[in-house]
């Protein structure tokens, strides 16, 4: 959470300390951080802009100076998720030449991201998007399709390098792995973030990846 820096100097008597004006872009980030924080709280209730503004101690009008709608706020979270996940996937596939190790690292990363970002996990499974704009769920669907395409490419590489049999179907293997990830994300959210997404992963990796 971005916070104002603590000052070691005493306020000047002539200039009483007041609320620090956020730097450009800082308030926007604070809004997204608070939205993600509220999404991970018990109850899973639909978040209103009024509740969000109250938590930030600002007016709803202040929120709309940074986002035209609540849908845009969710789009900001989805954009962060996209940039993070695909940045890490690109890093893994660039630095690791072994396709099966790529798959293991990608799977571990997807589950680790959820565990460290519970509120965003509810966005990934669509739970937080119920009753929100349809385009948000469509964008999440596209994100998952892109993840599956990356996984499918890794399976293709493993077949080309002789690590998996030529008879293996990359599309089916990728579909299974992504379905596993979605199931783990779902269970994590539905258990109130108590069941770790990577629970038992070491054993299951042998079946999912090879």
């Amino acid at each position: 959470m971005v916070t104002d820096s603590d000052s070691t100097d005493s306020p000047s008597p002539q200039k009483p300390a007041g609320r620090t004006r956020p730097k450009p872009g800082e308030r926007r980030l604070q809004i997204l951080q608070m939205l993600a924080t509220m999404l991970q709280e018990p109850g899973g209730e639909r978040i209103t802009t009024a509740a969000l503004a109250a938590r930030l101690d600002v007016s709803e009008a202040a929120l709309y100076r940074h986002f035209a709608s609540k849908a845009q706020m969710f789009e900001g979270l989805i954009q962060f998720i996209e940039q993070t996940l695909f940045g890490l996937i690109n890093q893994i596939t660039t630095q690791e030449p072994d396709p099966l190790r790529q798959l293991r690292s990608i799977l571990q990363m997807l589950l680790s991201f959820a565990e460290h970002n519970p509120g965003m996990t509810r966005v990934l499974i669509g739970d937080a998007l119920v009753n929100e704009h349809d385009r948000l769920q469509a964008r999440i669907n596209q994100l998952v399709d892109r993840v599956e395409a990356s996984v499918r490419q890794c399976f293709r590489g493993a077949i080309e390098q002789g690590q998996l049999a030529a008879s293996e179907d990359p599309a089916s293997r990728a579909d299974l792995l992504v379905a596993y990830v979605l199931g783990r994300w779902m269970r994590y959210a539905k258990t109130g973030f108590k069941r770790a997404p990577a629970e038992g992963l070491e054993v299951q990796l042998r079946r999912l990846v090879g």
Side-chain angles (χ1 to χ4, degrees):
M1 179 66 65
V2 177
T3 57
D4 293 329
S5 299
D6 292 330
S7 174
T8 58
D9 298 326
S10 300
S12 168
Q14 289 77 23
K15 296 181 180 180
R19 180 176 296 180
T20 304
R21 187 177 185 84
K23 298 175 183 178
E26 187 176 19
R27 178 64 78 192
R28 181 182 176 90
L29 179 59
Q30 289 173 344
I31 292 169
L32 294 179
Q33 288 175 325
M34 182 57 71
L35 176 58
T37 297
M38 293 175 73
L39 285 171
Q40 72 186 50
E41 293 174 353
E45 298 178 359
R46 187 167 184 255
I47 295 172
T48 64
T49 53
L52 181 58
R55 291 288 290 271
L56 288 163
D57 193 24
V58 299
S59 66
E60 286 187 75
L63 297 183
Y64 291 121
R65 284 198 290 271
H66 300 278
F67 296 94
S69 64
K70 186 167 61 165
Q72 278 196 2
M73 298 177 199
F74 277 108
E75 285 178 329
L77 285 184
I78 295 172
Q79 183 179 27
F80 170 82
I81 294 169
E82 287 175 332
Q83 291 174 343
T84 302
L85 294 186
F86 294 109
L88 291 171
I89 287 174
N90 289 338
Q91 182 177 319
I92 290 167
T93 55
T94 299
Q95 297 179 356
E96 174 55 70
D98 185 308
L100 291 184
R101 288 182 179 176
Q102 289 175 3
L103 284 164
R104 293 186 187 102
S105 294
I106 289 172
L107 180 54
Q108 290 168 334
M109 178 275 292
L110 292 171
L111 299 180
S112 178
F113 177 85
E115 186 167 358
H116 289 90
N117 299 278
M120 294 183 196
T121 302
R122 289 191 58 214
V123 176
L124 280 165
I125 65 174
D127 179 54
L129 305 179
V130 175
N131 298 321
E132 302 296 344
H133 200 289
D134 290 345
R135 74 173 184 271
L136 298 172
Q137 185 60 60
R139 187 162 175 182
I140 285 294
N141 294 343
Q142 291 173 354
L143 183 156
V144 173
D145 287 345
R146 286 182 62 196
V147 169
E148 186 169 341
S150 297
V151 170
R152 188 163 57 245
Q153 186 58 43
C154 291
F155 275 118
R156 287 198 186 106
I159 293 170
E160 290 169 359
Q161 292 187 20
Q163 295 177 306
L164 294 175
S167 59
E168 291 281 1
D169 180 2
S172 295
R173 293 290 298 268
D175 178 68
L176 176 62
L177 191 148
V178 171
Y180 170 84
V181 170
L182 289 170
R184 284 306 180 98
W185 286 346
M186 179 76 73
R187 188 185 68 175
Y188 182 48
K190 296 303 181 182
T191 59
F193 310 115
K194 292 181 174 62
R195 295 286 298 273
E199 183 180 271
L201 179 61
E202 290 303 317
V203 174
Q204 294 158 357
L205 271 173
R206 293 194 291 271
R207 296 182 178 274
L208 291 165
V209 176

